[in-house]
Amino acid sequence: FNVKGKELKMATVLEDLRLKIIRANDAYWNRHVNEISDKEYDKLIEKLKKLSPNDALLRTFASDNIPGTKVRHQEHMYSLMKLYDVKAVHIWMVAAARNENEVYDLEPKMDGVSAELVNGRLLSRGDGEIGTDISHILPYIGIIMDLRSGVEVGAMSVVRDETWGSRRIVGELLVFNKRFARLKTIKDDGDSYKTPRNMAAALTTLKPDQIRDLWERANRTHLATLVYHDAYSITRPLRELDPANLEKFINKLRGAKDMPCDGVVVKLHDREYAKSLGVTNKFPRGFVAYKFAEDEVEVIVKDIVWQVGEQHVTPVCEFDPVEL
């Protein structure tokens, strides 16, 4: 009797907990109101994780996942401070290091669309705080967690997996160079995509029926790949990363794994230490991006016009088209 009584009590507690989360999800995603604070909501989620680690509710939202819906990220997706000189990168590394044995990860700065897959929902980065729901493209893309193995699996199989389905995967939505060469002319307006990044960005703006049609014309192959940000790196201590060696590693990463790449990301390997350094008003202090110089082109500004958005009025430069 005691065992059954405990089980019944646990089931009651679990059901009550799930109902609270469902109501909070419905309020937040569908009615756009906060019925409870973020802190209270996080406590409910943590409690559910302890009582029912594989609960489907940890991997789904109450929203109908309408393409284009604005969604608040669980964690801020920061952009990185950009440097254009190898010596400047080395100076930053020395300043951030606790000693010469400080370890750094050097990764390709993938040239695609930053996104996160969390609880079965794919969100573009947006402004880092508010992203856009692009979950409708999940059936048509793959995911790579480790570029060394090169194993690409369907995104939907990851979403449905009990282990991976509840994990937060932050990465870059990419169209690999060889795939781009094969698919760049499949646009239905007779034109072609200009660059891999152009194609990746365009996919996120298509309606469900449009992207399915594109997938059909591509012989039902993956149109793009979400690549985990830590999927490929060169890891070395600071004592081995003088400016000359740093430049060698940067050049090695430049053409890595057939991916469109516009620079190199340098990260402190000790992520807890990196996190302890905090952030500026825009960038995390434990990471930096080195950008390849030839991504810059001189142009003559012809005019400046004012673009009116929902929340801002933005000055926009007009100049003759150039290709990067």
Side-chain angles (χ1 to χ4, degrees), residues 13-32:
V13 169
L14 188 58
E15 185 60 25
D16 181 64
L17 181 60
R18 295 185 82 257
L19 286 173
K20 286 180 180 178
I21 293 173
I22 289 170
R23 282 198 295 267
N25 283 345
D26 178 67
Y28 188 87
W29 298 116
N30 297 329
R31 292 186 282 118
H32 310 293

Side-chain angles (χ1 to χ4, degrees), residues 228-257:
Y228 183 47
H229 271 164
D230 291 332
Y232 181 74
S233 64
I234 294 173
T235 303
R236 292 291 188 280
L238 177 62
R239 63 177 182 275
E240 297 179 16
L241 294 172
D242 59 81
N245 280 338
L246 184 58
E247 189 156 19
K248 287 179 183 178
F249 287 129
I250 285 173
N251 289 332
K252 183 177 180 180
L253 287 168
R254 186 166 199 161
K257 306 297 182 183

Side-chain angles (χ1 to χ4, degrees), residues 135-154:
S135 303
H136 62 293
I137 74 172
L138 284 171
Y140 313 107
I141 67 172
I143 292 181
I144 290 181
M145 299 300 295
D146 182 358
L147 273 168
R148 286 181 172 81
S149 68
V151 176
E152 180 172 336
V153 297

Side-chain angles (χ1 to χ4, degrees), residues 127 139 292 309:
D127 65 0
F292 299 141

